[in-house]
Amino acid sequence: QVQLVQSGAEVKKPGASVKLSCKASGYTFTSYYMHWVRQAPGQGLEWMGMIYPNGGSTSYAQKLQGRVTMTRDTSTSTIYMELSSLRSEDTALYYCVRDNSAFDIWGQGTMVTVSS
Amino acid sequence: DIVMTQTPLSLPVTLGQPASISCRSSQSLVHSDGNTYLSWLQQRPGQPPRLLIYKISNRFSGVPDRFSGSGAGTDFTLKISRVEAEDVGVYYCMQATQLTWTFGQGTKVEIK
């Protein structure tokens, strides 16, 4: 079946970087845009950016420009999201999502905790 | 960026009764391709969000027909015809226009 499986929880110190992965299966990886969305504890959803696996083009939320990098590996049907210069406000659950004219398939989420 | 405003933010409902959530965008969501990419998501406690409705009024696979979406331009509504216990959670509208994606603040639906 179509699914997105994300990497495990991370704990990082302020100023560090984190790189999350999201492995797709059950569909043609290069045919759909992919997004990252995060959710701080008890808060709403925030769009972070997107990548098109066919070619690797990206678009990032202005708020995160300069700190976020999204990449993909077509050989393993995996996308990655790296966030640098982490601060406490980056503590959140991070989701990868498939875009099929709507966000139709969501990963299980990866918790990132930024704490000294 | 397009701002999505949901009302109400909290919605206590009685089992079996209808519920309605409004979502208003700060500008028209009609895409240059003629479609309106307004979706509704449901997030049950402790779970990832789940797609309910896409392009204003289309139910996603497996979504019960008690959920319906309507609207146009800048004003949209999600309706639940008869609320069931499993409908408890937070509902988000979201838009995709001009290479930006934004969400409403979320509406928490709970049983009275």
Side-chain angles (χ1 to χ4, degrees):
Chain A
Q1 76 280 25
V2 176
Q3 62 176 353
L4 301 172
V5 178
Q6 298 184 229
S7 48
E10 302 266 7
V11 179
K12 296 291 182 180
K13 293 194 182 304
S17 297
V18 68
K19 188 172 185 177
L20 310 182
S21 68
C22 168
K23 183 175 176 58
S25 62
Y27 71 95
T28 303
F29 175 66
T30 51
S31 294
Y32 298 87
Y33 286 86
M34 296 291 293
H35 300 255
W36 288 91
V37 173
R38 70 179 179 179
Q39 186 171 36
Q43 302 300 308
L45 303 170
E46 178 186 14
W47 179 75
M48 299 180 67
M50 54 145 270
I51 183 167
Y52 189 40
N54 187 357
S57 60
T58 56
S59 177
Y60 303 136
Q62 191 169 7
K63 172 182 176 182
L64 297 172
Q65 287 275 1
R67 287 208 299 140
V68 67
T69 304
M70 297 179 187
T71 56
R72 94 289 188 221
D73 182 343
T74 56
S75 69
T76 60
S77 298
T78 302
I79 61 169
Y80 300 91
M81 189 283 296
E82 184 169 20
L83 188 61
S84 62
S85 303
L86 289 169
R87 48 195 81 150
S88 58
E89 309 90 89
D90 295 318
T91 293
L93 197 51
Y94 288 74
Y95 295 104
C96 60
V97 195
R98 188 180 82 163
D99 185 348
N100 185 15
S101 295
F103 285 10
D104 68 339
I105 305 296
W106 292 68
Q108 83 275 21
T110 296
M111 185 68 206
V112 175
T113 303
V114 182
S115 174
S116 54
Chain B
D1 283 1
I2 296 175
V3 176
M4 306 296 287
T5 303
Q6 290 182 228
T7 54
L9 298 184
S10 178
L11 185 55
V13 295
T14 301
L15 287 174
Q17 293 301 302
S20 180
I21 301 170
S22 173
C23 176
R24 178 166 292 178
S25 58
S26 59
Q27 57 186 274
S28 173
L29 298 186
V30 179
H31 194 275
S32 55
D33 66 7
N35 289 304
T36 299
Y37 296 99
L38 184 284
S39 303
W40 290 94
L41 306 169
Q42 175 197 60
Q43 187 173 31
R44 292 171 172 152
Q47 295 189 15
R50 161 199 179 200
L51 179 63
L52 292 178
I53 302 286
Y54 63 96
K55 286 195 272 187
I56 301 177
S57 59
N58 297 275
R59 266 189 308 276
F60 187 56
S61 174
V63 174
D65 60 8
R66 64 179 181 275
F67 290 94
S68 64
S70 63
T74 61
D75 286 286
F76 307 91
T77 302
L78 174 71
K79 291 184 179 177
I80 310 173
S81 59
R82 294 174 306 279
V83 172
E84 297 188 5
E86 65 179 18
D87 300 336
V88 165
V90 180
Y91 292 77
Y92 297 92
C93 61
M94 67 162 290
Q95 67 82 26
T97 309
Q98 304 163 2
L99 276 183
T100 67
W101 288 260
T102 50
F103 299 91
Q105 318 97 299
T107 295
K108 186 173 184 178
V109 171
E110 57 185 8
I111 305 300
K112 281 182 185 174

